[in-house]
Amino acid sequence: MTDAGSELPKSLSPHPSPLKGRGCYEQVITAQAQDIDELGHVNNAVWVRWIQDMATAHWVAVADPAHVDDYVWVVVRHEIDYLGNVQAGESVTARTWVGEAPRGARFDRHVEFIGANGKPKVRAKTTWAIVDRASGRVLRVPKDVAAPFLEGREP
């Protein structure tokens, strides 16, 4: 949901789960040494990056390629609950979905990161706004852009 194109960050598994698709998108993310802070766990700023990486991966996987070319998304707000720690070498299952229909130019996206023990490590709700690439202007989310993300909501 950035202008990153379709290239995924190295920390994202190249093999999305079978849930990949319309309602929910999943990836496995493994914490790397550079993701770790002085307390020995994933830095809060890295969680924010992973939230954005998941949004981008979901957008590229599900959106019409013409929409990926025509629009870009920008973050308006993050709400993040840090519930547990992850250390270097540990993996989490990252899951994202769009829970509600857009409001004007804004779309809320949910992301959760689940540890190997099945317990949530981080939960987030991020509000995104859609921007027309050609004009650089914010616009109402077109129904045909939102539709694929609203089918079969929340996991």
Side-chain angles (χ1 to χ4, degrees), residues 44 47 80-86 111-114 119-124:
N44 288 3
W47 289 109
I80 304 171
D81 294 318
Y82 298 98
L83 306 168
N85 297 320
V86 172
V111 184
E112 64 181 5
F113 298 88
I114 306 297
K119 294 184 179 179
K121 301 294 184 175
V122 169
R123 286 191 179 130

Side-chain angles (χ1 to χ4, degrees), residues 2-130:
T2 66
D3 201 8
S6 61
E7 198 171 310
L8 298 179
K10 291 179 184 175
S11 61
L12 290 181
S13 164
H15 306 289
S17 83
L19 290 176
K20 172 187 167 187
R22 302 271 190 239
C24 180
Y25 183 84
E26 267 189 19
Q27 292 277 345
V28 174
I29 300 175
T30 302
Q32 306 298 311
Q34 64 269 22
D35 299 326
I36 306 304
D37 64 17
E38 61 274 3
L39 297 174
H41 54 70
V42 172
N43 185 284
N44 288 3
V46 173
W47 289 109
V48 173
R49 186 181 79 229
W50 289 352
I51 290 165
Q52 181 168 318
D53 291 347
M54 284 299 295
T56 300
H58 190 203
W59 169 244
V60 170
V62 175
D64 180 312
H67 295 161
V68 174
D69 290 342
D70 291 344
Y71 307 113
V72 65
W73 294 87
V74 295
V75 172
V76 176
R77 177 182 172 90
H78 284 299
E79 295 177 41
I80 304 171
D81 294 318
Y82 298 98
L83 306 168
N85 297 320
V86 172
Q87 296 163 344
E90 287 186 55
S91 294
V92 291
T93 299
R95 184 178 304 141
T96 187
W97 67 95
V98 174
E100 304 86 26
R103 296 173 319 279
R106 296 178 182 212
F107 219 130
D108 287 338
R109 171 176 292 282
H110 302 268
V111 184
E112 64 181 5
F113 298 88
I114 306 297
N117 63 0
K119 294 184 179 179
K121 301 294 184 175
V122 169
R123 286 191 179 130
K125 179 179 173 184
T126 301
T127 303
W128 296 82
I130 193 168

